[in-house]
Amino acid sequence: MSKPTDAEKNAAEDSGQHDSVSSETAGLVQGLASTAQTMSSSLQSMQQALIGNMQQAAQMTMSMNMMMEELVKRAVQVGVHTERLRLPQNPSSSLDAAAASYRPQYRCALRVTISNKSPIPLLKMTTKLWFSKRIPSQSSNAAVSVLSEAHGLTDESRIEILPLNKRSSKKPITSEDNDPYLLVFSETRGALPESLDTSVEPLVQGSLGSSAYLPSGATAIATLEISVSALEQLNGAISIEFASPGTGGALSVAHRFGIRLLHLVDCNYVAAVEAAPTVLTRQLDKLTGIPAVTVDIGRIREVFAVPPADGIAPGALLLFDLCPADCTIGLQIGSISHDSQSAVCEWVSSIGDNQTLLSLVPLLAEELNM
């Protein structure tokens, strides 16, 4: 057998070296691929962790913002106080006289107070008000309008809202004081809605006068005159809207209230010595078929403004003056309880057994016993 030549030996050595280089290259490539895969997995893990941390931070921020918004909303105190409002008995000017003759309506004063008890100012604050008729309960089963064709009046229910206050009473009045805590409303007139719907445009909207925000610890006030053309119970809603201290979005605080017949009608007390038919300027007849009502003496003094020094005796009249001026419904005290805590009263009227008038009796009796 012949020995391999030098050329064959060199060829064999070159082939071995080539195989060794190829094996090393393949190992290097495989190592790089593994490293790249490991780095890709690590980057993906880091990315997922970063996204998770960002989501947690966003959720925490949202939770803190929601908590802060809720705290601010809870710290906004809204008050609505209603009281009767009368036109002057003796008008002091031609304007007062014109108002008295032009507006034979039922009216009350509505005082709105908004207090910011939070440490954060209320930015872009606005106040919205809605009013509507109150649907009578089934127990009363009656319409509440007393406008009858016999007196030449229509049955259309309309509402008028007028601002009464000119400035806030929070701070001493000075010539340089711009009174930043006054809620400014515009005059509004229109039809009284049948139902209370706060998703529609409000009947009237107010904003802070000379200030863009309500500071921490401050109170904004407004006094409005509410006039309606027909005597009926009203539902009301108020919404305070302001910017979120975190997102700038709109926040709101809502409150509902009611206006009763006793807020809208003039309530007059006529002592027994003045209630004789020869003294009264109008004829009052008892309403037949209507049971007597028992009223607390303290409630009589509260509603009819009877001074504590004046006694309440049988024969006295508790009158509700309606529109027009000669239309009156009321109660005449028949007897006083032995403990002087309550009075049994009978219903009387200046226009007889008018059906629209009779429909007011259960509502007035309910309000007198609240």
Side-chain angles (χ1 to χ4, degrees), residues 20-42:
S20 176
V21 170
S22 299
S23 178
E24 290 178 359
T25 302
L28 180 61
V29 170
Q30 190 174 23
L32 289 173
S34 177
T35 302
Q37 185 175 6
T38 302
M39 290 180 64
S40 176
S41 299
S42 299

Short mmCIF file of all heavy atoms in Angstrom, two decimals, residues 20-42:
data_model
loop_
_atom_site.label_atom_id
_atom_site.label_comp_id
_atom_site.label_asym_id
_atom_site.label_seq_id
_atom_site.Cartn_x
_atom_site.Cartn_y
_atom_site.Cartn_z
N SER A 20 -13.08 22.64 11.88
CA SER A 20 -12.96 23.23 13.22
C SER A 20 -13.47 24.66 13.24
O SER A 20 -14.19 25.09 14.15
CB SER A 20 -11.49 23.18 13.65
OG SER A 20 -11.32 23.82 14.90
N VAL A 21 -13.12 25.44 12.19
CA VAL A 21 -13.58 26.83 12.11
C VAL A 21 -15.09 26.89 11.97
O VAL A 21 -15.78 27.70 12.59
CB VAL A 21 -12.89 27.55 10.94
CG1 VAL A 21 -13.53 28.92 10.69
CG2 VAL A 21 -11.41 27.70 11.21
N SER A 22 -15.63 26.01 11.14
CA SER A 22 -17.09 25.97 10.96
C SER A 22 -17.79 25.64 12.25
O SER A 22 -18.84 26.21 12.59
CB SER A 22 -17.46 24.95 9.87
OG SER A 22 -16.87 25.29 8.64
N SER A 23 -17.24 24.71 13.00
CA SER A 23 -17.85 24.34 14.30
C SER A 23 -17.78 25.50 15.27
O SER A 23 -18.76 25.79 15.99
CB SER A 23 -17.11 23.12 14.85
OG SER A 23 -17.62 22.77 16.11
N GLU A 24 -16.65 26.22 15.31
CA GLU A 24 -16.52 27.36 16.22
C GLU A 24 -17.48 28.48 15.83
O GLU A 24 -18.10 29.13 16.67
CB GLU A 24 -15.08 27.87 16.19
CG GLU A 24 -14.09 26.93 16.84
CD GLU A 24 -12.67 27.45 16.74
OE1 GLU A 24 -12.51 28.55 16.12
OE2 GLU A 24 -11.76 26.82 17.27
N THR A 25 -17.62 28.73 14.51
CA THR A 25 -18.53 29.79 14.03
C THR A 25 -19.97 29.47 14.39
O THR A 25 -20.74 30.32 14.85
CB THR A 25 -18.40 29.94 12.52
OG1 THR A 25 -17.04 30.26 12.19
CG2 THR A 25 -19.32 31.04 12.00
N ALA A 26 -20.34 28.20 14.20
CA ALA A 26 -21.71 27.79 14.53
C ALA A 26 -21.96 27.94 16.02
O ALA A 26 -23.03 28.39 16.46
CB ALA A 26 -21.94 26.34 14.10
N GLY A 27 -20.97 27.59 16.82
CA GLY A 27 -21.14 27.75 18.28
C GLY A 27 -21.28 29.20 18.68
O GLY A 27 -22.08 29.56 19.56
N LEU A 28 -20.47 30.07 18.00
CA LEU A 28 -20.54 31.51 18.31
C LEU A 28 -21.91 32.09 17.93
O LEU A 28 -22.51 32.85 18.68
CB LEU A 28 -19.42 32.23 17.57
CG LEU A 28 -19.35 33.75 17.76
CD1 LEU A 28 -19.13 34.08 19.23
CD2 LEU A 28 -18.23 34.35 16.90
N VAL A 29 -22.38 31.70 16.75
CA VAL A 29 -23.70 32.19 16.29
C VAL A 29 -24.79 31.72 17.22
O VAL A 29 -25.71 32.46 17.59
CB VAL A 29 -23.96 31.73 14.85
CG1 VAL A 29 -25.40 32.03 14.45
CG2 VAL A 29 -22.98 32.39 13.90
N GLN A 30 -24.68 30.45 17.61
CA GLN A 30 -25.69 29.90 18.52
C GLN A 30 -25.65 30.62 19.86
O GLN A 30 -26.69 30.92 20.46
CB GLN A 30 -25.43 28.40 18.70
CG GLN A 30 -26.56 27.68 19.43
CD GLN A 30 -26.31 26.18 19.45
OE1 GLN A 30 -25.16 25.73 19.31
NE2 GLN A 30 -27.36 25.41 19.58
N GLY A 31 -24.45 30.94 20.34
CA GLY A 31 -24.32 31.68 21.59
C GLY A 31 -24.90 33.08 21.50
O GLY A 31 -25.56 33.57 22.41
N LEU A 32 -24.61 33.76 20.37
CA LEU A 32 -25.16 35.10 20.16
C LEU A 32 -26.69 35.07 20.10
O LEU A 32 -27.38 35.94 20.64
CB LEU A 32 -24.60 35.70 18.87
CG LEU A 32 -23.12 36.12 18.91
CD1 LEU A 32 -22.65 36.53 17.52
CD2 LEU A 32 -22.94 37.26 19.91
N ALA A 33 -27.22 34.04 19.43
CA ALA A 33 -28.68 33.90 19.33
C ALA A 33 -29.30 33.68 20.70
O ALA A 33 -30.34 34.26 21.06
CB ALA A 33 -29.04 32.76 18.38
N SER A 34 -28.63 32.86 21.49
CA SER A 34 -29.14 32.62 22.85
C SER A 34 -29.09 33.88 23.70
O SER A 34 -30.01 34.19 24.46
CB SER A 34 -28.30 31.50 23.49
OG SER A 34 -28.72 31.28 24.82
N THR A 35 -27.96 34.62 23.54
CA THR A 35 -27.83 35.87 24.30
C THR A 35 -28.90 36.88 23.89
O THR A 35 -29.51 37.57 24.71
CB THR A 35 -26.45 36.47 24.07
OG1 THR A 35 -25.44 35.52 24.48
CG2 THR A 35 -26.26 37.76 24.85
N ALA A 36 -29.12 36.98 22.55
CA ALA A 36 -30.15 37.90 22.06
C ALA A 36 -31.53 37.51 22.58
O ALA A 36 -32.35 38.36 22.95
CB ALA A 36 -30.13 37.92 20.52
N GLN A 37 -31.80 36.18 22.59
CA GLN A 37 -33.11 35.72 23.10
C GLN A 37 -33.25 36.05 24.58
O GLN A 37 -34.31 36.47 25.03
CB GLN A 37 -33.23 34.22 22.86
CG GLN A 37 -34.60 33.67 23.25
CD GLN A 37 -34.73 32.20 22.88
OE1 GLN A 37 -33.76 31.57 22.43
NE2 GLN A 37 -35.91 31.67 23.05
N THR A 38 -32.14 35.87 25.32
CA THR A 38 -32.17 36.18 26.74
C THR A 38 -32.39 37.68 26.97
O THR A 38 -33.18 38.09 27.82
CB THR A 38 -30.88 35.74 27.42
OG1 THR A 38 -30.69 34.33 27.21
CG2 THR A 38 -30.90 36.04 28.91
N MET A 39 -31.69 38.50 26.18
CA MET A 39 -31.86 39.95 26.30
C MET A 39 -33.26 40.37 25.91
O MET A 39 -33.87 41.25 26.54
CB MET A 39 -30.83 40.67 25.41
CG MET A 39 -29.39 40.54 25.89
SD MET A 39 -28.24 41.40 24.80
CE MET A 39 -28.78 43.09 25.02
N SER A 40 -33.82 39.75 24.87
CA SER A 40 -35.19 40.06 24.45
C SER A 40 -36.18 39.72 25.55
O SER A 40 -37.10 40.49 25.86
CB SER A 40 -35.53 39.30 23.16
OG SER A 40 -36.87 39.52 22.80
N SER A 41 -36.00 38.57 26.18
CA SER A 41 -36.88 38.17 27.28
C SER A 41 -36.75 39.14 28.45
O SER A 41 -37.75 39.54 29.07
CB SER A 41 -36.55 36.74 27.73
OG SER A 41 -36.74 35.83 26.67
N SER A 42 -35.49 39.53 28.71
CA SER A 42 -35.28 40.48 29.82
C SER A 42 -35.93 41.82 29.50
O SER A 42 -36.58 42.44 30.38
CB SER A 42 -33.78 40.67 30.06
OG SER A 42 -33.17 39.46 30.42
#
